[in-house]
Amino acid sequence: MTFSENPDAATLNAEIKGNPELPSLAERLPAEPLVVVPYDSIGSYGGTLNALSNATEAGTSDFLSVRHVNLVRYADDLQTIVPNVAKSWEWNDDYTQLTFKLREGHKWSDGAPFTSADVKFWYDNLALDSNVREKPQDYALVAGERMTVETPDETTVIFNLPSPKPGLLAHFATSYAQAFQPRHFLGQYHPEVNADADALAEECGFENGYAAIAAYYGNSDWTDTPSPMLSNPDKIQCLPKATHPTLESHIYVADTTEGRKLVANPYFHMVDTTGQQLPYISRQDEIYANDNEVRILKLVNGEADYKSQSLTLAPAPLLLENQESGDYTIQLKPQIASYTLSFNVTSEDMAKREVFGDVRFRRAMSVAMDRGEINEVAFFGEGRPVQYTGFSPRPDFVDPSLEEAFIQYDPEMAKGLLDEIGMVDTDGDGFRELPNGDKITLNMQFATQGIAGEVVEIISQNWADVGVQTTVKEVTPDEYRSAQSSNQLDVLMWLKGQPVAVHMGTNNYWVPPFDGYFDLRTGMLWAEWMDSDGASGVEPPEWVKQMGEDSIAFQAASPGSPEQAEAGAALAKAIVDQMLFIGTVIAPAPIYHRNALKNVPEFQTWSYEYYRTYPYRAAQWYFDE
């Protein structure tokens, strides 16, 4: 195959701070580049992809997923795992050793070799280092135990697992958390890699090497950490690079509070079937707009090229009506997650904690919700009422009746359950008090990125109709997440629900606080108790501890085996019986793209769970204008 490149590659490369002049394309591509078959046609180079996000770290995953890479990915059938950064992999017989083969000659965006050492550096020096991350994430562990990473040569990575975890591969296919970081760059600031790390960091005004790592990498695997261009602009002149090298299709060259700009990675490892290096699109521009109405107006006016995150069904009629005049296309695709609510079972208010912790209260609040009205008003009758079972789509091992548990609209049942636990209206104002006589008003803060305002308003009225007073307030995603994580909210609301593949890779959804920072969480003090081995926080009930054990058994079992089915069924039954999370309606949602953007296929789902656009090979998108 003869290879060719973007004619503007050298110009684009010159915008990347710290990058040397480009060698020939043959020296930049791996010995075996990943050949991508375009959906419709061979593309042409150039153009700028205009993206629209809520704000930095709060509504950018659809944009991030456009340029994302990991060791492997799911194909667009959402069933098959296929190569990406790794060209192949192999499990041993009992799923305790996973071996990846990397691409010889693969390079980072600055031209430095990408090798197995970069995977080991990510695992040993970032994922497991408490100076970088307070504690390892579950996906980096196996039944709570650490793995080991061997690198017998530059293109071989061996993950040794202390016990079986076949879902580790699925994790690498679905997660934003990339299983590699540039050792040659971040390692210079890591004291275990470079003895002069602290001194090097101090030269540019950082407290130590770990502070420099935090400026580039952050303190999590979330890949949207503000770059030094935004977080440390006073240090940019001193620093060797404005952002750390990447393997993704594009790299940041500007980062402000208004948005970000990126240019194509001149060392990207993919080519099309004619040998043209991808990506076709030269630039990406991202602007922030926290106001939902502003975002919708910009989409109607064709001011973005692609958008899915934060788009709900509510504006779909307006978006569909203006498709022709705005020269864009709307795909309405099923969601995997659905709007889900939970109560703060470890509230700092002890009277509230007692009520929120009573399953009768949670069941009352479930049957008090009119899901039929929610479906008609918020989803135009296109949705389906469903209880949260943890698994979505529902696998065969989950009893179908669990999806219907306590989803009937039954205000009288709700009132009876509230009476039973001692929540009655003692002063005649039409609203119930807590069993101790204190007044209660449920604080319902929400962000439109996580749940539609129409849904919250209907639920608020439903609960008021059975005598539980509420107050509704829309906040930004960052404000919501901060309040949720600091244990300040009464009601937690966000999209929730994961396919089997995701559960195989992490038990986050079954162990307090039952999800990550960006998602729906509850039981923060239960989580504190577990993290501290009982030294602080609040001890969770036995059924919570049992879910943790069952989730470990689920992850250790062979996919599709009776053992996996048994553990999965137990998890679903426990989460529904205890009604820790309350489901609403699952419905389709819009995916938007301008018609000038080509090679955009039909998506299978509107979903975060397979990392949005990642399965659909966005590096082969191009513009025909």
Side-chain angles (χ1 to χ4, degrees):
M1 181 177 287
T2 301
F3 299 112
S4 58
E5 65 180 313
N6 188 329
D8 293 329
T11 301
L12 298 169
N13 179 68
E15 297 182 36
I16 305 172
K17 178 179 170 62
N19 262 24
E21 290 188 11
L22 291 182
S24 68
L25 180 60
E27 296 177 77
R28 304 199 314 262
L29 288 172
E32 297 178 74
L34 178 60
V35 179
V36 174
V37 181
Y39 280 105
D40 298 318
S41 58
I42 298 297
S44 55
Y45 287 118
T48 300
L49 181 79
N50 289 303
L52 184 64
S53 297
N54 291 36
T56 180
E57 294 196 43
T60 59
S61 66
D62 56 349
F63 179 52
L64 288 168
S65 69
V66 168
R67 63 178 184 272
H68 181 69
V69 296
N70 211 327
L71 292 173
V72 292
R73 68 173 177 87
Y74 269 93
D76 53 17
D77 63 1
L78 304 186
Q79 300 291 322
T80 312
I81 295 177
V82 296
N84 193 329
V85 168
K87 71 175 185 178
S88 65
W89 65 89
E90 183 179 8
W91 279 106
N92 67 349
D93 290 340
D94 65 356
Y95 296 104
T96 58
Q97 188 177 80
L98 177 59
T99 301
F100 287 103
K101 293 297 291 186
L102 306 180
R103 299 175 190 279
E104 184 180 346
H106 197 164
K107 294 179 173 64
W108 289 97
S109 57
D110 61 353
F114 164 66
T115 72
S116 57
D118 296 305
V119 180
K120 186 173 178 61
F121 171 73
W122 161 75
Y123 190 74
D124 291 350
N125 301 114
L126 298 177
L128 298 185
D129 190 333
S130 60
N131 295 291
V132 177
R133 304 209 58 165
E134 185 176 351
K135 66 171 187 173
Q137 290 294 295
D138 178 72
Y139 53 69
L141 306 173
V142 179
E145 300 295 323
R146 297 183 176 191
M147 299 181 283
T148 62
V149 178
E150 295 178 19
T151 55
D153 57 55
E154 290 190 344
T155 59
T156 304
V157 180
I158 303 173
F159 286 89
N160 294 300
L161 288 61
S163 58
K165 187 178 181 179
L168 179 63
L169 184 68
H171 163 75
F172 290 136
T174 57
S175 177
Y176 60 80
Q178 295 169 325
F180 39 78
Q181 289 297 327
R183 185 183 188 276
H184 73 280
F185 184 75
L186 292 180
Q188 67 183 323
Y189 297 114
H190 199 293
E192 292 183 12
V193 176
N194 178 16
D196 298 323
D198 290 339
L200 183 64
E202 289 166 6
E203 288 177 6
C204 287
F206 292 105
E207 180 182 356
N208 53 37
Y210 283 116
I213 289 175
Y216 281 107
Y217 177 72
N219 58 2
S220 77
D221 283 326
W222 176 236
T223 56
D224 209 14
T225 297
S227 74
M229 289 179 279
L230 179 61
S231 62
N232 291 269
D234 57 317
K235 299 181 176 66
I236 283 293
Q237 288 301 113
C238 177
L239 291 170
K241 296 183 186 297
T243 188
H244 66 73
T246 185
L247 299 181
E248 295 177 341
S249 64
H250 293 77
I251 183 171
Y252 291 125
V253 293
D255 188 0
T256 71
T257 55
E258 285 74 43
R260 290 175 285 204
K261 297 180 183 296
L262 302 92
V263 299
N265 174 4
Y267 293 87
F268 195 54
H269 67 287
M270 298 183 191
V271 299
D272 68 19
T273 50
T274 69
Q276 291 187 106
Q277 185 188 26
L278 300 178
Y280 294 130
I281 296 175
S282 295
R283 300 177 182 275
Q284 295 180 344
D285 282 5
E286 178 185 27
I287 63 171
Y288 303 138
N290 258 323
D291 187 278
N292 188 53
E293 292 184 4
V294 171
R295 290 196 301 272
I296 299 302
L297 181 60
K298 286 181 177 292
L299 294 177
V300 168
N301 291 337
E303 295 179 37
D305 293 308
Y306 163 76
K307 185 65 184 168
S308 63
Q309 187 176 16
S310 300
L311 282 185
T312 66
L313 203 57
L318 177 63
L319 292 169
L320 290 166
E321 179 184 343
N322 287 278
Q323 281 186 106
E324 185 174 352
S325 61
D327 197 24
Y328 59 81
T329 295
I330 295 294
Q331 299 181 26
L332 291 178
K333 296 299 177 181
Q335 296 187 76
I336 290 178
S338 58
Y339 298 148
T340 304
L341 294 84
S342 184
F343 289 92
N344 186 353
V345 290
T346 60
S347 171
E348 302 289 355
D349 184 317
M350 296 303 296
K352 287 182 178 179
R353 184 189 300 181
E354 180 180 356
V355 167
F356 295 164
D358 192 322
V359 70
R360 293 172 296 176
F361 173 79
R362 302 194 292 269
R363 290 172 176 171
M365 294 295 95
S366 182
V367 298
M369 296 193 307
D370 188 345
R371 292 171 176 83
E373 182 184 7
I374 291 172
N375 188 27
E376 291 302 320
V377 173
F379 303 115
F380 310 104
E382 296 295 319
R384 176 173 65 92
V386 64
Q387 190 54 265
Y388 178 80
T389 67
F391 296 94
S392 181
R394 182 185 61 80
D396 290 342
F397 58 71
V398 172
D399 185 340
S401 67
L402 293 179
E403 288 193 327
E404 300 180 1
F406 297 96
I407 65 170
Q408 72 273 22
Y409 179 48
D410 192 340
E412 294 308 311
M413 180 181 181
K415 292 175 183 177
L417 287 168
L418 294 171
D419 289 343
E420 190 176 313
I421 63 177
M423 285 187 69
V424 295
D425 177 14
T426 57
D427 60 8
D429 68 350
F431 293 107
R432 299 170 183 270
E433 284 77 50
L434 291 167
N436 67 357
D438 289 349
K439 287 187 173 297
I440 178 174
T441 300
L442 295 179
N443 169 16
M444 298 181 70
Q445 291 187 31
F446 75 97
T448 56
Q449 183 187 332
I451 189 169
E454 299 89 345
V455 175
V456 181
E457 292 290 351
I458 292 170
I459 294 172
S460 171
Q461 185 58 56
N462 291 160
W463 287 350
D465 290 343
V466 298
V468 179
Q469 191 168 24
T470 65
T471 179
V472 173
K473 180 184 178 183
E474 181 180 350
V475 296
T476 69
D478 284 342
E479 290 171 331
Y480 172 85
R481 287 163 173 150
S482 176
Q484 176 179 251
S485 295
S486 57
N487 208 37
Q488 296 175 12
L489 299 180
D490 293 333
V491 186
L492 304 315
M493 297 174 276
W494 207 264
L495 289 161
K496 196 171 181 70
Q498 298 77 26
V500 168
V502 172
H503 287 300
M504 287 170 58
T506 178
N507 69 1
N508 278 1
Y509 309 101
W510 309 107
V511 175
F514 306 101
D515 216 327
Y517 174 78
F518 296 100
D519 304 292
L520 175 57
R521 305 204 283 178
T522 191
M524 298 303 296
L525 298 184
W526 288 349
E528 182 180 328
W529 186 90
M530 297 183 74
D531 289 344
S532 67
D533 292 327
S536 61
V538 174
E539 183 174 4
E542 287 303 316
W543 63 267
V544 171
K545 298 176 185 176
Q546 183 60 50
M547 282 203 309
E549 295 299 316
D550 289 339
S551 69
I552 290 173
F554 181 82
Q555 287 186 341
S558 296
S561 66
E563 292 79 12
Q564 186 190 60
E566 181 180 0
L571 288 167
K573 187 175 188 305
I575 206 74
V576 173
D577 284 352
Q578 296 297 332
M579 205 65 62
L580 184 63
F581 297 99
I582 302 173
T584 58
V585 173
I586 191 166
I591 300 169
Y592 169 108
H593 77 269
R594 268 204 325 125
N595 292 332
L597 187 64
K598 300 303 181 181
N599 283 341
V600 180
E602 282 288 318
F603 284 40
Q604 295 291 320
T605 64
W606 182 108
S607 69
Y608 174 80
E609 288 66 41
Y610 290 93
Y611 205 35
R612 299 201 184 276
T613 323
Y614 186 38
Y616 304 101
R617 295 176 277 158
Q620 46 86 59
W621 288 357
Y622 73 98
F623 291 106
D624 68 349
E625 60 181 34

